[in-house]
Amino acid sequence: MLNNNSQIEKAVNSRSGPRVSRKPRGRLLPFLYLLPSALLLLVFMIVPIGYTFYLSFFNWNLIAPTKQFVGLANYVNVFTDPTNQKVILNTLVYIVLLVILNFIIPYFISLIVNFFIGKMKGPYKILFFIPSLFSLVVGAMLFSWILNPVSGPLALFLRDFGMKVPQWTNSGAMAIVVICLITNWKVFGYNFILLLTGLGAVPRNILDAAALDGIPKWRVIWNIVLPLNKGVAIYVFILTIVQGLQYVFTPINVITQGGPYYGSSNLLYHTYLNAFVLYKTGNASALATVTFVIFLILLFIEIKFVEGRKRDAD
């Protein structure tokens, strides 16, 4: 009987093969699945970032066969050159305006819709989100037509009242405001829905308990809702800065090309201008590296305050 069992086990093992050989295959299989994505990430992200950092130490024009090593001169030039200083100041102005238009105002309106408007929330979502479906190129062309100082609809309307639209493309400050409004037209609805969804996730029993205690709504919002919605708010705040600085590139390129006299340019457009128009590859690489570090800091803040809060909650 024992001999028969041992023979059966040997036959089964001979057919199925050695079990140990399957373990390495099972361990390697997930890495094989990740290999295509890892190759794409390596080729289109890691290698270009590393090469950009490498070029930031050289003076090169994309054409010359040799590169001149200049050390940290390009990084010093980023913070000392008057044009770069003006562009950095413009970028800070863009950030302030984008935060006001694409974060503070949508947050305020989402609070009104969620806590002071009982019905018809769906139409508000659709109404605000519709512009997000259109291209920024369309928005830039539409706004430039409406605000045309000579033949635009707004100029024709104001002309009947003895007023006129200023030449906003000749003023860096006014051009920045218009570009931020174009970006606001595109981003407002998306941020509004994110913030409204976050407010809707606040536990209803807490709000009901506060209402039974007779606590005013403004105190409930300030002391309960805003702290509980802090994670979503920080996420939208960082998204507003990063996405906004990327989105303003399109209306700048379509309408002002960074003018007048770099008055409407920002770090991203100035990087593109230096790299592919002026062929100052070293300066452009240094600008790109500085911008990349800023985005990494914002990403770290998001991970620390948003993802960290989620882990603590779990």
Side-chain angles (χ1 to χ4, degrees):
M1 202 58 191
L2 292 173
N3 293 330
N4 292 334
N5 290 335
S6 62
Q7 290 176 357
I8 292 172
E9 288 179 0
K10 289 180 181 180
V12 171
N13 291 332
S14 62
R15 290 180 181 179
S16 59
R19 296 179 181 178
V20 181
S21 62
R22 291 186 179 182
K23 291 184 179 180
R25 294 180 185 177
R27 291 175 181 174
L28 291 175
L29 194 59
F31 295 100
L32 292 176
Y33 288 145
L34 291 173
L35 184 60
S37 299
L39 287 176
L40 290 174
L41 184 66
L42 178 67
V43 173
F44 293 103
M45 291 290 293
I46 297 176
V47 171
I49 290 173
Y51 192 61
T52 300
F53 181 70
Y54 165 78
L55 289 177
S56 66
F57 297 102
F58 292 88
N59 185 15
W60 188 43
N61 61 0
L62 285 177
I63 300 173
T66 59
K67 307 177 185 68
Q68 180 185 359
F69 180 77
V70 293
L72 297 175
N74 288 323
Y75 290 97
V76 174
N77 186 56
V78 167
F79 298 102
T80 57
D81 182 71
T83 301
N84 290 335
Q85 289 176 348
K86 186 175 184 178
V87 169
I88 293 173
L89 180 61
N90 292 343
T91 304
L92 295 176
V93 174
Y94 273 115
I95 290 174
V96 172
L97 290 177
L98 289 171
V99 167
I100 294 173
L101 293 173
N102 296 341
F103 176 70
I104 295 177
I105 295 178
Y107 208 170
F108 180 73
I109 295 178
S110 64
L111 287 169
I112 293 175
V113 171
N114 193 69
F115 293 103
F116 296 95
I117 298 177
K119 299 179 180 179
M120 302 293 290
K121 294 181 182 179
Y124 284 101
K125 294 180 181 179
I126 297 173
L127 182 66
F128 288 134
F129 190 73
I130 285 176
S132 302
L133 303 176
F134 295 95
S135 169
L136 264 174
V137 176
V138 175
M141 296 177 67
L142 180 65
F143 271 79
S144 61
W145 169 67
I146 293 173
L147 298 176
N148 189 304
V150 179
S151 59
L154 184 61
L156 297 176
F157 175 76
L158 293 177
R159 193 175 300 166
D160 296 334
F161 298 94
M163 296 181 290
K164 60 180 181 179
V165 177
Q167 295 284 345
W168 54 272
T169 53
N170 294 334
S171 170
M174 294 184 66
I176 288 176
V177 172
V178 173
I179 289 169
C180 286
L181 288 174
I182 297 171
T183 308
N184 173 252
W185 173 80
K186 170 76 174 178
V187 177
F188 184 94
Y190 182 76
N191 288 358
F192 167 78
I193 289 179
L194 286 178
L195 292 167
L196 188 64
T197 304
L199 294 174
V202 176
R204 192 68 197 176
N205 57 344
I206 298 177
L207 301 177
D208 293 337
L212 289 174
D213 291 339
I215 302 175
K217 276 191 175 182
W218 69 269
R219 288 194 60 188
V220 173
I221 292 172
W222 184 260
N223 295 325
I224 298 176
V225 175
L226 294 182
L228 290 176
N229 199 45
K230 186 178 179 181
V232 176
I234 293 175
Y235 170 75
V236 176
F237 175 78
I238 295 173
L239 184 69
T240 298
I241 298 175
V242 175
Q243 197 178 56
L245 291 178
Q246 293 174 344
Y247 278 177
V248 295
F249 177 90
T250 300
I252 291 174
N253 193 35
V254 172
I255 301 174
T256 65
Q257 290 81 45
Y261 305 107
Y262 303 99
S264 63
S265 185
N266 72 341
L267 278 174
L268 294 181
Y269 185 80
H270 198 56
T271 301
Y272 159 79
L273 187 71
N274 275 269
F276 302 109
V277 178
L278 303 177
Y279 296 107
K280 296 179 179 179
T281 309
N283 191 31
S285 300
L287 284 167
T289 303
V290 171
T291 307
F292 177 69
V293 171
I294 293 172
F295 285 174
L296 276 183
I297 294 172
L298 293 173
L299 179 63
F300 172 77
I301 294 173
E302 179 188 348
I303 293 174
K304 182 176 178 61
F305 288 97
V306 180
E307 303 296 334
R309 287 172 63 88
K310 288 181 180 179
R311 290 172 187 170
D312 294 339
D314 294 339

